Amino acid sequence: MERKKMKVARFHLPGLFEFYEFYKVFLPLFYNHREYFYEWVTIASIYGAPDGCIWSGGRFGANEYSAEDVLEFMREYGISARLTFSNSLLRKEHLSDEKCNHLCAIFEKQKDARNGVQNGVIVHSDLLLEYLRDKYPRLYFVSSTTKVLTDFGQFLEEVQREEFRYVVPDFRLNKQFESLNIMTQFEKDKVEFLCNECCYIGCTDRKACYENVSQRILGEDCPEHICKAPGAGEGYRFSKAMNNPSFIGIEDIQNIYLPNGFSNFKIEGRGLGTALILEFLLYYMVKPEFQLQVREHIYLDSMLDLF
């Protein structure tokens, strides 16, 4: 009897630059001790951006590391690297930014011919998208969740755009199974669900929040956006995210999403600390009986400063 091929969940993780030191410890553990991890999970990409990138959006960048070193490390493990260039308010004059162009040139150049790993860019602005497609054609592109497409019809139109390899829907579409399940398999393969969003599901200011971040990254004089959603003052809590109606847990992935043809799952958290990122990865990727061993390995590494 032919053995049925196991469906695989492809995770897209935060902190390419922001948590580089963390991944230098975590990735060898993931690949050298696969017995600790669910056999049905893999790491498809890691996304982020260094400080000083005006094309950035979503959340601010963090520590500065050499792009060449970061990409060489990703290439070693066959993982796609993504730049988070999801600023929604870019103008034509911003397209000539030297640092952002330099990063794109490096990311486009460093493709692993042995296993076909290609690097990508997460974008919001159509102006930036057209510029990048023309100037850096060997990159692939991801439609950012910062577009806040809460209408399923608009989201489906986005999925059908040939420019995008993946589209990250607004988290409030995560459980619209009647519509999701009638998508074609080609369309399903392009959907990348945001699993662990903590934001209030009834929030009406999400787009304004993202735009405020974009303004601040561009150096524009504007007041900081103050979220008025219930519980916003608590900050991010994983326990709170788990109670969000849009939350996608490991049982959901195994029993609902994978059997219905969806395989891409994004974990948010670039603006959070490494200790919380570890908790995300323990929950989504590590078998319960080995979570203590993984946690000990990470926490006891003398080279890693968790925060």
Side-chain angles (χ1 to χ4, degrees), residues 21 48 51 74 83 113 123 129 154 210 218 243 267:
E21 295 293 338
D51 261 343
M74 293 296 104
L83 289 165
V123 295
L129 173 65
Q154 290 181 327
Y210 284 130
L218 290 174
N243 290 321
I267 307 301

Side-chain angles (χ1 to χ4, degrees), residues 191-227:
V191 180
E192 188 177 309
F193 291 102
L194 182 58
C195 295
N196 61 327
E197 179 55 63
C198 185
C199 184
Y200 173 53
I201 198 165
C203 178
T204 59
D205 290 336
R206 190 169 174 84
K207 189 170 184 179
C209 178
Y210 284 130
E211 288 180 349
N212 182 260
V213 174
S214 292
Q215 284 181 290
R216 292 160 61 199
I217 288 175
L218 290 174
E220 297 179 359
D221 186 19
C222 61
E224 183 175 352
H225 176 78
I226 305 299
C227 181

Side-chain angles (χ1 to χ4, degrees), residues 1-14:
M1 179 184 246
E2 186 178 352
R3 185 177 178 182
K4 190 175 180 180
K5 188 176 180 180
M6 179 176 293
K7 297 182 187 305
V8 174
R10 305 174 72 252
F11 281 100
H12 304 269
L13 306 181

Side-chain angles (χ1 to χ4, degrees), residues 246-266:
S246 70
F247 180 73
I248 298 177
I250 55 170
E251 292 184 359
D252 296 321
I253 292 173
Q254 285 185 289
N255 301 327
I256 301 174
Y257 291 90
L258 289 178
N260 282 294
F262 297 100
S263 58
N264 288 287
F265 304 93
K266 180 176 182 177

Side-chain angles (χ1 to χ4, degrees), residues 81 102 214 223 240 292:
H102 179 63
S214 292
K240 182 179 174 182
L292 179 59

Side-chain angles (χ1 to χ4, degrees), residues 24 28 47 57 67 72 87 93 98 112 136 142 144 157 181-182 207 211 237 251 275 279 303-304:
K24 285 176 68 177
Y47 63 92
E72 178 59 27
N87 193 301
E93 60 263 32
E98 184 177 349
D112 192 340
Y136 307 105
V142 182
S144 173
E157 289 178 2
N181 289 338
I182 63 175
K207 189 170 184 179
E211 288 180 349
R237 302 287 180 89
E251 292 184 359
E279 293 305 313
M303 301 300 292
L304 187 61

Side-chain angles (χ1 to χ4, degrees), residues 7 11 37 47 64-65 67 82 84 100 128 143 198 299 302:
K7 297 182 187 305
F11 281 100
F37 299 84
Y47 63 92
E64 183 77 55
Y65 293 101
R82 294 178 176 178
T84 308
C100 294
L128 179 62
S143 177
C198 185
Y299 274 93
S302 60

